Amino acid sequence: MLEQLDLTKTMSKEDYKKRMDVLQPELSRLQRECKSAQIPVIIVFEGFGAAGKGYQISRLIQALDPRGFYVHSIGPESTEEMMHPFLWRFWTKLPSTTQIAIFDRSWYRKVLVDRFDGITNESRLINYYNDINSFERQLTDDGHVLIKLFLCIDQKEQKKRFKRLTNTKSSAWRVSEEDIQRNRDFEKYKAMNDEMLESTDTAYAPWTIIESMDRSFATVKIYTAVIEALKAALRRKAEKAATDTADVIDHAPTPASEYADDVLRTSSLQKVDLSLSLEKDEYKRELKWLQNRIADLHGEIYKRRIPVILGFEGWDAGGKGGAIKRLTEKMDPRGYRVHPTSAANDIEKVHHYLWRFWNNVPKDGHIAIFDRTWYGRVMVERIEGFCTREEWQRAYQEINEMEKQFVDHGAIVLKFWLQIDKDEQERRFKERMEIPEKQWKITDEDWRNREKWDEYEKAVDEMLVRTSTMAAPWIIVEGNNKYYARIKVLQTVVDAMEERLSR
């Protein structure tokens, strides 16, 4: 790809000024329009050292309202960042629907600078490319504008710019020994960049190559690329608003007719044996042993720096809270955190729906317990019409990809579905209403959701089948008997920790 570039392109001062007099106010206007249309924008600057990324970012933001953008300079991973999946530090920096995020280097550092410097494991290179492509697809599917700019110069020009920088005391710090080495091995590093461009140049997130030997030419090309991308995004938004006359239907709750043919339905729930139970004495013996064992394993997990992610889903009154309470009773509270997931708040609503969960991914050696999870997208949001059909249908793949990234990083990922039958749920609802200490647990919404049992059951069946993967399988917990359910959860966690520690 890079071999075909004509790096001799230049632009006169007169032509540059004439063009910029038009481009700068145009970009300023488009920033305001994208904010009004609630379109989040991400601009990525990559390229060779000394190609002018910092200079071009400074030129670009001159046309922007500083209240509406952030610039993220991406250096080597910090100790904290290394203790999370590699995309964690970028998910946590995503813009809201009214902002522009500008990255001076980005997630591509993993497959470029870090690869050249021998930090990146070559055997995992294809995984990183796959993770990057899925990350970018998820963002663009969600409505983000992703503009990727690659600034290119040749070896001779780079060497000249490095020399100019090192000759001045105030700028010498900007050139590292690693930069000099990449210039010496320019062709080797160039081949890595070529491979990256070919592996990640996609229809949904294409690269724009910027010939950067002449700064004026590069500035105009960057402005033009950004402006065209924002115009295209605004057109797509307007066309969707004009033509999507079924928008209300698309967001409407799932119709009951979709659940009519139960005979043909693939089901995991119908085979669950809800008669399984434990007597109280046996439960107490098992509970004591398992809790002590978890306390010991928790310490080993911390010492070995193994992250653990536990997700709990299930019917209302299915026993999630009770299982989590018994699971954590003897854990060191400094090493775990329980994240109860409710309806998205105002800040969460203006970000990608997975953003809030990535923000709570545990660092290595710690345990994150989610009381309800990212699966709300394919259950309550699907059934109640809080997202479109397109959004919840693509969520299965997005969730599978996210969980695989957790596992590839080394996390233990366990997902529990606590299953009870409809009669048991009604009994527990009535018990909660009758006992003052438990009345806070029952709401009118719980009763409304119960009326949609069949719809939810179908959605849960589809969720279990489509997201139970080798990397992160579902564990269905027979929950009519609380004693049995709690012990199964604890035993499953113990088994998973022991298996990992035995490797």
Side-chain angles (χ1 to χ4, degrees):
M1 186 179 286
L2 297 178
E3 291 295 336
Q4 303 302 318
L5 294 183
D6 177 9
L7 294 179
T8 65
K9 294 183 177 181
T10 62
M11 183 172 290
S12 68
K13 289 183 179 179
E14 293 76 13
D15 192 15
Y16 171 76
K17 185 179 185 306
K18 181 180 178 181
R19 289 173 182 266
M20 291 300 290
D21 285 346
V22 175
L23 293 172
Q24 284 190 309
E26 178 74 349
L27 180 57
S28 180
R29 178 184 66 80
L30 289 169
Q31 181 193 16
R32 295 191 296 273
E33 288 193 17
C34 286
K35 178 180 179 180
S36 178
Q38 294 195 312
I39 299 174
V41 179
I42 300 171
I43 306 173
V44 170
F45 282 80
E46 289 287 352
F48 294 109
K53 292 182 291 295
Y55 172 84
Q56 296 297 349
I57 290 171
S58 295
R59 295 296 301 158
L60 183 69
I61 63 177
Q62 286 180 12
L64 301 177
D65 183 337
R67 296 168 297 181
F69 70 84
Y70 294 94
V71 177
H72 303 287
S73 182
I74 304 301
E77 287 180 300
S78 67
T79 301
E80 178 78 9
E81 290 165 345
M82 285 189 287
M83 296 176 72
H84 289 87
F86 107 87
L87 285 171
W88 171 81
R89 63 169 169 163
F90 304 108
W91 272 101
T92 57
K93 294 178 176 65
L94 291 184
S96 73
T97 55
T98 61
Q99 294 175 326
I100 297 174
I102 301 171
F103 286 88
D104 178 4
R105 294 206 177 276
S106 64
W107 39 95
Y108 287 99
R109 183 184 180 94
K110 179 71 77 173
V111 296
L112 293 176
V113 174
D114 289 353
R115 180 186 180 188
F116 182 89
D117 293 345
I119 298 170
T120 298
N121 186 337
E122 285 285 336
S123 66
R124 296 213 61 238
L125 191 62
I126 188 63
N127 297 73
Y128 292 131
Y129 283 138
N130 290 338
D131 291 348
I132 286 169
N133 285 335
S134 68
F135 174 55
E136 293 179 351
R137 192 198 69 250
Q138 289 180 25
L139 295 180
T140 55
D141 281 351
D142 193 57
H144 290 68
V145 179
L146 178 53
I147 305 166
K148 301 189 304 187
L149 308 169
F150 186 92
L151 278 60
C152 190
I153 56 175
D154 63 24
Q155 184 178 17
K156 184 179 178 181
E157 177 67 16
Q158 185 185 56
K159 185 176 182 179
K160 184 171 72 174
R161 293 185 184 185
F162 280 164
K163 185 175 181 179
R164 187 164 62 243
L165 288 168
T166 54
N167 284 342
T168 304
K169 187 175 181 180
S170 61
S171 61
W173 63 271
R174 294 169 59 186
V175 182
S176 67
E177 285 299 320
E178 290 79 11
D179 290 325
I180 300 299
Q181 187 59 48
R182 283 190 287 276
N183 179 257
R184 293 194 188 107
D185 292 333
F186 191 85
E187 290 303 316
K188 175 185 175 182
Y189 187 54
K190 182 180 177 182
M192 291 181 178
N193 281 270
D194 245 334
E195 180 184 305
M196 179 277 292
L197 291 168
E198 292 174 12
S199 300
T200 60
D201 187 44
T202 60
Y204 50 84
W207 281 100
T208 299
I209 309 297
I210 308 296
E211 300 87 340
S212 298
M213 300 285 279
D214 180 85
R215 283 183 166 179
S216 295
F217 176 88
T219 300
V220 169
K221 187 166 182 178
I222 289 169
Y223 263 82
T224 303
V226 172
I227 285 170
E228 289 306 311
L230 298 186
K231 283 182 176 179
L234 287 163
R235 281 197 302 270
R236 288 193 298 270
K237 188 101 175 186
E239 288 168 2
K240 188 176 188 304
T243 61
D244 192 5
T245 55
D247 185 61
V248 174
I249 298 173
D250 195 30
H251 284 79
T254 306
S257 59
E258 187 173 317
Y259 304 95
D261 201 342
D262 289 338
V263 175
L264 301 178
R265 193 171 88 211
T266 300
S267 176
S268 298
L269 300 181
Q270 291 178 1
K271 66 180 182 181
V272 176
D273 183 1
L274 293 176
S275 67
L276 295 172
S277 64
L278 280 180
E279 295 299 325
K280 190 172 184 177
D281 289 344
E282 184 180 5
Y283 163 72
K284 286 184 175 180
R285 288 194 303 270
E286 290 287 329
L287 180 66
K288 182 178 180 180
W289 185 88
L290 287 168
Q291 286 183 330
N292 288 334
R293 183 62 179 145
I294 285 175
D296 293 337
L297 291 169
H298 190 192
E300 291 300 312
I301 286 289
Y302 179 80
K303 285 192 286 186
R304 290 270 295 272
R305 291 298 183 183
I306 299 170
V308 180
I309 299 172
L310 307 177
F312 286 82
E313 292 285 358
W315 297 104
D316 293 331
K320 295 181 294 298
I324 292 170
K325 177 177 172 59
R326 273 71 184 181
L327 177 66
T328 60
E329 274 182 335
K330 293 193 177 180
M331 283 185 182
D332 186 333
R334 296 169 297 179
Y336 76 86
R337 187 170 178 182
V338 178
H339 302 283
T341 301
S342 56
N345 61 33
D346 289 344
I347 295 175
E348 293 162 346
K349 285 178 181 177
V350 295
H351 287 86
H352 192 287
Y353 78 98
L354 291 176
W355 173 81
R356 59 171 167 163
F357 302 107
W358 272 98
N359 272 276
N360 290 320
V361 171
K363 66 181 180 181
D364 294 352
H366 289 246
I367 298 174
I369 301 169
F370 292 89
D371 181 0
R372 297 203 182 277
T373 67
W374 38 94
Y375 285 99
R377 169 67 44 134
V378 295
M379 289 191 296
V380 63
E381 291 183 33
R382 167 187 175 175
I383 301 301
E384 304 300 335
F386 297 151
C387 64
T388 67
R389 178 182 298 273
E390 179 188 359
E391 287 170 338
W392 66 256
Q393 285 181 336
R394 69 170 183 254
Y396 298 115
Q397 181 181 355
E398 293 170 344
I399 289 169
N400 287 342
E401 289 169 344
M402 180 181 71
E403 292 174 352
K404 185 177 185 299
Q405 289 170 28
F406 296 162
V407 173
D408 286 347
H409 177 71
I412 297 171
V413 178
L414 299 175
K415 305 178 304 192
F416 297 97
W417 175 265
L418 276 70
Q419 174 68 6
I420 58 175
D421 62 33
K422 203 170 183 180
D423 291 339
E424 177 63 17
Q425 185 188 63
E426 183 178 23
R427 187 191 68 77
R428 294 183 185 182
F429 277 9
K430 289 179 177 178
E431 181 185 67
R432 289 179 175 183
M433 294 182 70
E434 293 167 0
I435 300 175
E437 297 80 28
K438 293 186 177 183
Q439 287 175 355
W440 64 273
K441 291 185 176 183
I442 188 75
T443 66
D444 291 341
E445 186 178 351
D446 294 327
W447 286 104
R448 285 195 299 271
N449 289 343
R450 179 175 163 78
E451 294 174 1
K452 298 182 180 180
W453 180 282
D454 292 342
E455 291 96 319
Y456 273 98
E457 187 174 59
K458 195 268 186 180
V460 171
D461 268 328
E462 185 173 359
M463 174 194 76
L464 294 172
V465 171
R466 297 185 64 177
T467 61
S468 190
T469 62
M470 293 181 66
W474 276 100
I475 300 102
I476 299 178
V477 179
E478 300 84 349
N480 268 16
N481 181 275
K482 290 183 179 181
Y483 295 155
Y484 180 88
R486 293 167 184 170
I487 294 303
K488 181 169 181 176
V489 169
L490 268 65
Q491 186 66 63
T492 303
V493 174
V494 166
D495 291 346
M497 287 182 172
E498 288 180 338
E499 191 278 330
R500 173 58 60 82
L501 291 168
S502 69
R503 294 181 189 176

